[in-house]
Amino acid sequence: MLLSRTVAVLAGSLVSGWAFCQQSVFLQPDQFFLKGRTALVDLRRSSAPSLVPEEWSDAPVKWSFLRTGEVQENRDDIGEWLRPDGRLELKIPASGPIMFGIDFLPRIESVNSTDLRKLTKAPVGAGTVKIRHYRTAVTILRTQWGPGVDSPGSAVATSETSLTSAVHLMMDPSSLMLGGDIAFEVVMRGLEIEDATVKINHRSSGETLVRDDAERYRFTPDKPGVWDMEVQFVRPLKDDPEAQFELYSTTMTFEVPRP
C-alpha cells in the first residue's frame, strides 16, 4: 500500500494499543455489490482492535440520505427503514453507484485529557474534559442488476455531502482497479480540514495506516475487499457551558472489487 507522504504502517497486533479519542461509528452493509433492490445495513462502533455491533437505538440520528444517480432521499428519522428485527433495510431506487450517509445527533461526553492531546495542539487542562461529540458515517455501494439494465452515469461516490463532517472521495472505489489511487479530503461543514488524523484499515487482513499531517490524502489499495476510513479532529470552544471542545468523528466504508 502506498501513500503520497510518509505514513506509519502498523500491523494489526500493534494497532490494538492505539485508538482514537472516542469511539466512531461505521455503516456495515451485508453486501457492497448488490444484485437485488434492497440493502441491509448494520451499525458498528470502533473498539480496538476491531469493530463491534452497535444498536440503532443507541445512536440517535439527526438526518440521513440515500443518493443514487437518479434521486436523493432524505430522512430525519430512519424508523421507516428499520425492520421488525431491528435491522436497517434500504430500498434501492436506481442502478449504479449508491451513497448512504448518516449525521448522528451530537452528544456531551467526558474524555481523558491525555487522549484529547493526541488530536489537538490547543491547550488542554488536566484530568477529565467535557466535549461535544459529532459523529457521521458514509458507505459506498453499487448495484449489479445484470445486462440490459440502465445504470445512470453519475459521480455519486465522489459527490460532496451536507454532513457535519465527511470524507470526500475523488475516486469511486467501487469501480477502482487495484493499483489505482484514491485521493480524498476531510471536510467540516463544507470547509477542508488540515489537521485531521486518519486511520485506513483493510478489514480482512487488519493492515492499518495512520496519518495526521495533511489536508489532502492519497492512498493506493493493494488488496481487494472491504476498507474502513476513520477520521477525527478537535476544535476548542469558548464560553460554552456544556463543553470545552468539539470532537468530530467521521467514517467511510467501501469495497474494492477483485480484478
Side-chain angles (χ1 to χ4, degrees):
M1 180 176 301
L2 304 175
L3 293 178
S4 59
R5 299 187 183 184
T6 302
V7 65
V9 182
L10 308 177
S13 59
L14 297 178
V15 173
S16 60
W18 186 94
F20 278 125
C21 184
Q22 292 292 90
Q23 292 177 325
S24 304
V25 286
F26 297 77
L27 299 176
Q28 176 58 53
D30 269 12
Q31 296 179 326
F32 288 85
F33 293 90
L34 308 171
K35 295 183 179 180
R37 296 177 184 259
T38 62
L40 288 175
V41 182
D42 293 317
L43 197 61
R44 298 286 185 267
R45 58 180 168 84
S46 55
S47 181
S50 60
L51 302 179
V52 298
E54 176 87 338
E55 296 293 334
W56 287 105
S57 58
D58 293 333
V61 170
K62 180 180 178 182
W63 77 282
S64 62
F65 69 89
L66 177 65
R67 179 180 296 168
T68 70
E70 292 183 354
V71 67
Q72 175 167 319
E73 300 179 20
N74 299 304
R75 296 286 188 277
D76 293 330
D77 185 349
I78 61 171
E80 65 182 85
W81 284 335
L82 289 176
R83 304 193 317 185
D85 62 2
R87 301 194 71 189
L88 188 144
E89 183 178 51
L90 301 173
K91 306 296 184 183
I92 307 302
S95 60
I98 303 155
M99 179 186 288
F100 176 54
I102 297 182
D103 214 333
F104 297 91
L105 286 172
R107 58 191 188 186
I108 303 298
E109 300 173 343
S110 297
V111 303
N112 186 290
S113 58
T114 301
D115 293 332
L116 192 62
R117 289 192 189 97
K118 299 175 183 178
L119 294 174
T120 180
K121 296 180 181 179
V124 179
T128 300
V129 179
K130 290 286 188 180
I131 63 167
R132 182 175 289 105
H133 192 187
Y134 294 89
R135 300 183 300 171
T136 62
V138 172
T139 188
I140 303 296
L141 309 170
R142 180 176 282 271
T143 57
Q144 293 182 319
W145 289 350
V149 178
D150 183 38
S151 294
S154 68
V156 170
T158 58
S159 59
E160 296 185 10
T161 73
S162 298
L163 298 172
T164 303
S165 62
V167 173
H168 177 210
L169 300 177
M170 306 298 180
M171 172 67 188
D172 181 355
S174 69
S175 61
L176 184 75
M177 298 293 291
L178 286 181
D181 286 346
I182 297 180
F184 60 95
E185 300 170 335
V186 179
V187 180
M188 178 188 71
R189 298 187 177 96
L191 300 175
E192 294 182 24
I193 299 301
E194 299 180 2
D195 58 345
T197 295
V198 178
K199 182 165 68 173
I200 304 170
N201 178 66
H202 183 250
R203 184 79 59 81
S204 60
S205 71
E207 181 179 354
T208 301
L209 303 101
V210 179
R211 63 178 304 175
D212 59 5
D213 63 348
E215 76 175 297
R216 272 184 87 89
Y217 307 86
R218 182 184 302 273
F219 78 107
T220 306
D222 59 354
K223 300 178 181 67
V226 179
W227 292 82
D228 300 320
M229 301 177 70
E230 182 179 6
V231 176
Q232 284 194 334
F233 56 93
V234 172
R235 294 292 180 266
L237 293 170
K238 292 183 179 180
D239 302 322
D240 191 310
E242 294 184 317
Q244 298 164 264
F245 290 87
E246 291 179 333
L247 171 65
Y248 295 84
S249 300
T250 187
T251 64
M252 169 74 73
T253 58
F254 54 83
E255 183 174 347
V256 174
R258 295 184 179 278

